[in-house]
Amino acid sequence: MTEEHFIPKTYSKTLENGSFTWSSPSNIALVKYWGKKEHQIPENPSVSFTLDYCKTTTTLSFSKKENNDTFSFDVFLENEQKDDFKPKIETFFKRIESYMPFLKDYHFKIETSNSFPHSSGIASSASGMSALALCLMSVEQSLGEVEVTEAYFNQKASFLSRLGSGSACRSIEGDVIVWGTHQEIDGSSDFFGIKYPFDVHQNFKNYQDSILLVDKGEKQVSSTVGHNLMHDHPFAERRFEQAHENMSKLISIFKTGDLDAFIKIVESEALTLHAMMMTSMPYFILMKPNTLEIINKIWAYRIETNSKVCFTLDAGANVHVLYPESEKESVMEFIKNELVTHCQNEHYISDQIGFGANQIQL
Ligand code: PMV
């Protein structure tokens, strides 16, 4: 399949105006996407758990405009106009214009809200871009694009989301999502995310993710800058190979439910992501002292109690604490008693992996 597949053939209807609302979740990568080629093509495959609570809800209203030579839109976050979001959306529109040829025909009002605090340091780009892509797919569907089956709808929504923010393409469908071609996973693609096609052991059902907010500030390094640091990075090629190897290992871990092996891959992936940033030029340290305090306490707790709790990190200082549902009570106690003290204003968000339908049209 090529990108041409997503260029619509004909629209059989005309629409003066309308509005659609979608809610879409965030996701947390286990094997990390870090490094991309042109057109948001990932350098390596990644796999993520979809989150159940952390979501963005977006209403896209549209009305036909006179001329069709520019993009025209306004953005609101929690009812407040946000002109600083516009450049990112303008870039997104430019990237997807050939796949959504109606974009310049309408003025859009984009009203968005998050289930988590905006200033929490939690990246909202995955849930935000996927919610917007789903709304645009609904517009296309109502224009009578002939090809739109449910499978095509989701695939193209993921394809478009990727062009907004790479990891957003893993927020469209299902609970465990793979993005990027991997030789053992039939149907995996660099263009869009797919539902992980093999068995996932009961041990991972309702897996818990408590997000410890160590630093709620703006990201020190934007992910665009971060991905670009992988160009000419001395360890890049080996890292991309390692991601393929870790994906292969996870396939059997998901099947057997081997949580000790799961922990090794997940923590190593998180530390590798940060190691890549520490060894790029320029170099960055995105962990804070409290990130390390939390990691060390998790390791000590694991030795003391034989727990299967582990951590993963995004490109920032916050810590995602992952643990099986069977340990929910004990690990929550541990978090409250020992870890929240390392969070900014003692803030954390408890989430879990969504095993059902994640995005909802409202
Ligand atoms: O989607 P982006 O371009 O913001 O990249 C996100 C990359 C990580 O969150 C660090 C890892 C991942 O796979 O989600």
Side-chain angles (χ1 to χ4, degrees):
M1 189 188 293
T2 65
E3 280 134 314
E4 311 281 294
H5 180 68
F6 296 105
I7 297 177
K9 306 221 168 32
T10 44
Y11 294 141
S12 59
K13 295 182 192 149
T14 54
L15 270 182
E16 282 309 306
N17 52 53
S19 140
F20 292 102
T21 300
W22 280 90
S23 169
S24 190
S26 188
N27 68 73
I28 179 71
L30 305 170
V31 172
K32 306 287 180 183
Y33 150 59
W34 199 242
K36 64 179 170 184
K37 303 175 196 155
E38 254 195 316
H39 305 299
Q40 306 270 105
I41 297 297
E43 290 277 12
N44 63 261
S46 56
V47 63
S48 55
F49 279 159
T50 307
L51 298 178
D52 208 31
Y53 165 73
C54 289
K55 290 196 163 127
T56 297
T57 301
T58 296
T59 298
L60 180 72
S61 314
F62 54 98
S63 50
K64 198 97 181 202
K65 62 184 173 66
E66 291 287 296
N67 65 48
N68 59 0
D69 44 15
T70 52
F71 299 119
S72 167
F73 59 92
D74 292 308
V75 197
F76 297 82
L77 174 68
E78 326 281 358
N79 299 321
E80 203 184 300
Q81 188 145 5
K82 280 281 180 191
D83 286 344
D84 48 328
F85 284 12
K86 288 183 96 172
K88 201 161 182 199
I89 293 175
E90 178 98 19
T91 304
F92 176 50
F93 279 4
K94 278 188 198 143
R95 285 184 189 154
I96 65 170
E97 193 187 357
S98 50
Y99 309 105
M100 294 263 126
F102 57 83
L103 282 179
K104 284 184 176 158
D105 297 340
Y106 294 98
H107 173 76
F108 294 98
K109 185 177 180 195
I110 304 165
E111 293 167 282
T112 178
S113 62
N114 295 324
S115 62
F116 47 90
H118 176 61
S119 59
S120 60
I122 295 185
S124 54
S125 62
S127 51
M129 283 298 174
S130 52
L132 181 56
L134 285 160
C135 291
L136 290 169
M137 282 307 296
S138 288
V139 179
E140 172 156 274
Q141 193 170 38
S142 59
L143 284 169
E145 155 61 353
V146 280
E147 296 287 337
V148 181
T149 59
E150 194 186 329
Y152 180 86
F153 187 99
N154 284 333
Q155 208 173 66
K156 183 164 173 182
S158 176
F159 175 87
L160 297 174
S161 305
R162 185 195 96 240
L163 292 166
S165 171
S167 59
C169 79
R170 296 188 313 238
S171 278
I172 297 297
E173 207 192 356
D175 34 44
V176 183
I177 306 291
V178 175
W179 167 41
T181 310
H182 186 270
Q183 62 169 10
E184 285 166 58
I185 306 178
D186 269 357
S188 57
S189 170
D190 286 347
F191 292 139
F192 47 80
I194 61 161
K195 269 187 176 175
Y196 177 74
F198 307 127
D199 288 349
V200 180
H201 193 277
Q202 283 293 311
N203 282 354
F204 298 103
K205 196 171 163 57
N206 298 333
Y207 222 68
Q208 304 291 302
D209 180 1
S210 294
I211 309 163
L212 305 188
L213 306 176
V214 169
D215 183 11
K216 301 197 217 165
E218 282 288 305
K219 276 196 190 173
Q220 192 187 323
V221 183
S222 75
S223 51
T224 310
V225 171
H227 290 294
N228 284 336
L229 292 173
M230 291 306 279
H231 296 139
D232 302 320
H233 190 293
F235 308 133
E237 286 314 313
R238 186 64 195 99
R239 157 62 197 153
F240 302 144
E241 280 167 22
Q242 180 202 38
H244 281 266
E245 292 156 15
N246 283 343
M247 287 288 292
S248 296
K249 289 180 188 157
L250 268 186
I251 292 173
S252 65
I253 292 168
F254 278 145
K255 194 167 170 194
T256 59
D258 182 344
L259 293 178
D260 292 320
F262 177 77
I263 290 170
K264 282 191 190 140
I265 301 286
V266 169
E267 293 190 344
S268 162
E269 276 287 322
L271 295 177
T272 300
L273 169 70
H274 282 251
M276 289 299 112
M277 275 175 272
M278 287 190 229
T279 50
S280 57
M281 194 57 77
Y283 39 80
F284 297 95
I285 300 181
L286 301 185
M287 289 188 224
K288 299 278 183 211
N290 276 327
T291 312
L292 286 176
E293 292 286 347
I294 291 168
I295 292 174
N296 281 316
K297 283 192 176 174
I298 289 174
W299 286 346
Y301 178 80
R302 219 159 55 210
I303 291 170
E304 263 165 44
T305 64
N306 213 14
S307 161
K308 303 300 178 203
V309 66
C310 72
F311 70 87
T312 188
L313 307 165
D314 270 337
N318 296 335
V319 183
H320 287 249
V321 184
L322 299 176
Y323 48 101
E325 192 182 25
S326 59
E327 290 190 34
K328 195 169 170 176
E329 273 174 35
S330 49
V331 175
M332 273 316 295
E333 275 303 294
F334 163 59
I335 289 173
K336 284 186 199 147
N337 294 339
E338 293 203 43
L339 302 185
V340 290
T341 163
H342 302 293
C343 299
Q344 220 179 335
N345 307 330
E346 307 213 333
H347 275 171
Y348 66 97
I349 295 173
S350 275
D351 208 329
Q352 67 175 16
I353 304 329
F355 257 58
N358 305 102
Q359 25 58 330
I360 333 166
Q361 184 171 14
L362 302 167

